[in-house]
Amino acid sequence: MKSTLKKLLPFAVVGVISGATTVGVQQYFNDGTGTNDQSYFTKSGNSSFVGMNTAAIGDDFTKAAKTTVPAVVTIKNYQNRSASRASEQDMMDFFFGDPFGGRGQNKQRQQQTPENMPSGMGSGVIISPDGYIISNNHVVAGANKIEVVLSNKKAYIATLVGTDPNTDISLLKIEEKGLPFLNFANSDNIEVGQWVLAVGNPLGLNSTVTAGIVSAKGRGIGILGSQGKASNPIESFIQTDAAINPGNSGGALVNASGELIGINSAIQSTTGYYQGYGFAVPANLARKIVEDIKKFGIVQRGFLGVMTLDLSNDQLVTAYNKEQKTNLKAGNGMYVTGFSENSGAEDGGVKKGDIITKVDSYTITDFADLSAAVGSRRPGDKVQLTYLRNGKETTTTVTLKDQKGGTSTRTKADLSVSEKIGSDFTELSERFKTDYGLNSGVVAKGVVEGGEMAKIGIVDNYIIIEINGKPVNSQGDVEKILNNYKGNVQVKFVDEYGRIYTKGFKMP
């Protein structure tokens, strides 16, 4: 749309049309619908949360700090700079701003960094004694080697188990046993005003602990999708005033008992450094993401399949009314403006113009609430959706689906070639081939941040000439070469300057 609405609405529409969801219903982990393969999480009964919110001024945080510091690690991101398109430092500019002024100059500094020096550094949290580590996706983005350094200075080369750009979560593994680790708390139980600690490695200062309070819950700040890194961004951050700076990314946000309630991800700042606002991915969301990656190899995500307008946002409502010539009034709830194909909500009887007010027991006032309510659900899960139609309240059962309209979980083996390598492809015109002297080629489209194609430096609109020495001229050609293929893949491609590269990756 050529309107103010188009500028204001992208993330609300993209996020909700997918029904992609965030923090959620702790009942999911307790009612038997979740995986039982949770050996690297310590299950806690209700007693584990007793005292979770009892911290008060004057409490001594030394016990929480002693518990947390040994379980928080430094993560070093090493990259092939000639191929790197999205180093961790680039992502730090995105998440924390560019305090040095000038992204181009910063990239030049990166290219001059010696090969034995990391491109960027962040933090991570050990979540099991056998070496599973949770961090941010942007901390490990573009890495061809990841080094993990424990608080005792012992270093390991880590395996990247999986990532999810939509939540900015990654899961790593080092080969070690008997490691200190943190238990996940129930982040649904946190309260605004509760004391918290942020633990990480900001500005190169290892094992730094800062204290603050929970400033807000369910905060959406539009950061994950604003530069196209996330196809279906999910935001319901815990906001805190505990000091968080570059290098804290991927570190722990813990309660006064030393339990993990969030993964520190971003700050809101005009300088790139702490100005009082930090944001963490809630533990319930982070826990669900890493469970999916560990068990299925990919994230399982349920979709409501609705496009919505956030009625709590006056600007959005005003822009929508102007664009659509409607008379909607600002208020609470999510106004349904349309549906995706094979929408579970539409199948459940929801219609355009309905206002979603509740999902299960969660009251919906805005987009973040809707995300939080659907939360840790997977395709096939059912939710009770309450909506208003002509002032009358109705509740219906909605079965969540995946993006293809399915209701069952999938593994890596079920993925298409495009999903496995992280890119779609469109045909290159014969005239273009003739003008540029090419005998073959397809154009990369929808390149996924953190995917195999992105890792070797390919971005949207690069031309793929050959795969494994065979010319490609269509999506079908790519699929024919790589379908059921196992082993190393060699990709010959042309960048935006006409330079030809041949780079490789191992087929996932």
Side-chain angles (χ1 to χ4, degrees):
M1 297 181 186
K2 298 179 180 179
S3 67
T4 306
L5 178 63
K6 183 175 180 181
K7 298 178 181 178
L8 292 172
L9 207 55
F11 309 119
V13 171
V14 172
V16 179
I17 191 173
S18 67
T21 55
T22 55
V23 208
V25 187
Q26 178 67 13
Q27 180 184 358
Y28 181 86
F29 299 108
N30 297 329
D31 64 5
T33 59
T35 174
N36 291 321
D37 183 15
Q38 298 179 8
S39 60
Y40 61 107
F41 296 113
T42 298
K43 285 199 172 185
S44 301
N46 292 335
S47 61
S48 68
F49 301 117
V50 174
M52 180 175 174
N53 302 320
T54 59
I57 295 175
D59 279 351
D60 190 341
F61 298 124
T62 55
K63 181 178 178 181
K66 286 178 180 178
T67 299
T68 306
V69 167
V72 175
V73 302
T74 299
I75 295 177
K76 298 181 180 181
N77 177 322
Y78 294 86
Q79 299 185 20
N80 180 340
R81 287 160 185 79
S82 63
S84 173
R85 299 289 302 182
S87 74
E88 195 272 343
Q89 185 59 55
D90 290 334
M91 292 299 291
M92 292 296 277
D93 289 349
F94 169 43
F95 276 75
F96 289 91
D98 183 358
F100 301 105
R103 293 175 65 91
Q105 295 174 4
N106 193 36
K107 288 182 180 179
Q108 185 176 10
R109 285 196 301 273
Q110 292 166 17
Q111 292 169 354
Q112 294 171 349
T113 304
E115 291 294 329
N116 62 347
M117 296 292 289
S119 296
M121 297 174 65
S123 302
V125 183
I126 304 172
I127 55 174
S128 71
D130 58 345
Y132 280 99
I133 297 169
I134 189 172
S135 184
N136 288 140
N137 173 68
H138 77 263
V139 168
V140 299
N144 56 19
K145 184 177 79 170
I146 301 170
E147 184 180 16
V148 168
V149 183
L150 306 186
S151 62
N152 63 9
K153 309 303 181 185
K154 190 172 182 179
Y156 302 80
I157 299 301
T159 299
L160 180 59
V161 182
T163 66
D164 182 35
N166 289 316
T167 55
D168 194 32
I169 290 295
S170 63
L171 180 64
L172 313 176
K173 178 74 164 63
I174 60 174
E175 297 305 317
E176 187 59 276
K177 296 180 180 179
L179 294 170
F181 66 97
L182 295 186
N183 292 325
F184 283 83
N186 183 349
S187 55
D188 286 350
N189 286 358
I190 65 172
E191 297 180 2
V192 174
Q194 170 185 334
W195 281 102
V196 290
L197 301 180
V199 184
N201 307 290
L203 308 174
L205 302 173
N206 292 338
S207 302
T208 295
V209 179
T210 56
I213 62 168
V214 173
S215 305
K217 297 167 57 178
R219 187 73 83 190
I221 57 176
I223 196 171
L224 294 180
S226 61
Q227 298 222 347
K229 304 299 181 183
S231 57
N232 292 292
I234 304 168
E235 292 188 8
S236 189
F237 291 119
I238 299 169
Q239 181 179 323
T240 178
D241 65 353
I244 296 174
N245 279 293
N248 270 118
S249 284
L253 187 71
V254 301
N255 60 27
S257 300
E259 296 170 312
L260 187 65
I261 63 171
I263 300 298
N264 298 318
S265 294
I267 62 175
Q268 195 167 53
S269 170
T270 58
T271 65
Y273 295 110
Y274 172 72
Q275 287 186 314
Y277 303 99
F279 301 92
V281 179
N284 285 6
L285 173 60
R287 172 178 172 173
K288 189 264 182 183
I289 296 301
V290 297
E291 283 181 343
D292 280 357
I293 291 172
K294 185 171 183 286
K295 184 172 183 179
F296 303 103
I298 57 175
V299 176
Q300 309 291 324
R301 182 157 296 137
F303 291 78
L304 279 174
V306 293
M307 292 179 284
T308 61
L309 173 70
D310 188 341
L311 293 178
S312 71
N313 189 312
D314 289 341
Q315 287 182 299
L316 290 180
V317 174
T318 299
Y320 184 86
N321 283 336
K322 183 177 180 181
E323 180 70 26
Q324 301 294 323
K325 296 181 172 54
T326 54
N327 263 329
L328 285 177
K329 295 182 179 180
N332 293 328
M334 299 297 292
Y335 180 84
V336 178
T337 63
F339 301 93
S340 63
E341 189 175 355
N342 297 317
S343 164
E346 190 173 26
D347 290 347
V350 179
K351 295 182 179 180
K352 183 178 177 180
D354 291 345
I355 300 173
I356 298 173
T357 59
K358 187 178 289 188
V359 176
D360 290 331
S361 60
Y362 284 76
T363 299
I364 306 303
T365 60
D366 55 21
F367 174 69
D369 285 341
L370 185 60
S371 295
V374 181
S376 303
R377 301 289 183 164
R378 292 173 175 150
D381 287 349
K382 299 180 185 297
V383 297
Q384 296 299 306
L385 194 69
T386 302
Y387 59 88
L388 292 175
R389 182 182 298 167
N390 299 323
K392 183 180 178 181
E393 186 176 85
T394 301
T395 299
T396 185
T397 300
V398 172
T399 301
L400 303 180
K401 300 181 178 182
D402 62 24
Q403 285 181 293
K404 296 182 179 295
T407 57
S408 59
T409 56
R410 298 193 298 162
T411 66
K412 275 190 175 181
D414 301 317
L415 298 180
S416 67
V417 167
S418 290
E419 288 173 320
K420 287 180 180 179
I421 66 177
S423 178
D424 288 314
F425 306 94
T426 59
E427 295 184 11
L428 198 60
S429 69
E430 292 300 323
R431 180 172 180 176
F432 188 96
K433 293 176 187 176
T434 300
D435 289 346
Y436 289 89
L438 299 175
N439 295 319
S440 61
V442 291
V443 182
K445 293 291 184 183
V447 177
V448 177
E449 170 70 18
E452 300 302 329
M453 298 295 273
K455 288 178 184 177
I456 62 173
I458 292 173
V459 297
D460 280 1
N461 299 318
Y462 275 22
I463 298 171
I464 314 303
I465 304 172
E466 297 177 356
I467 295 180
N468 286 349
K470 299 177 182 179
V472 290
N473 291 290
S474 67
Q475 175 99 16
D477 288 345
V478 177
E479 292 175 353
K480 185 177 180 180
I481 294 170
L482 296 180
N483 192 33
N484 296 322
Y485 177 82
K486 296 180 180 179
N488 295 323
V489 178
Q490 294 296 314
V491 181
K492 188 176 182 179
F493 62 93
V494 184
D495 71 7
E496 71 266 38
Y497 301 108
R499 296 173 297 196
I500 297 177
Y501 297 91
T502 299
K503 298 187 180 296
F505 59 84
K506 186 174 181 180
M507 190 69 181

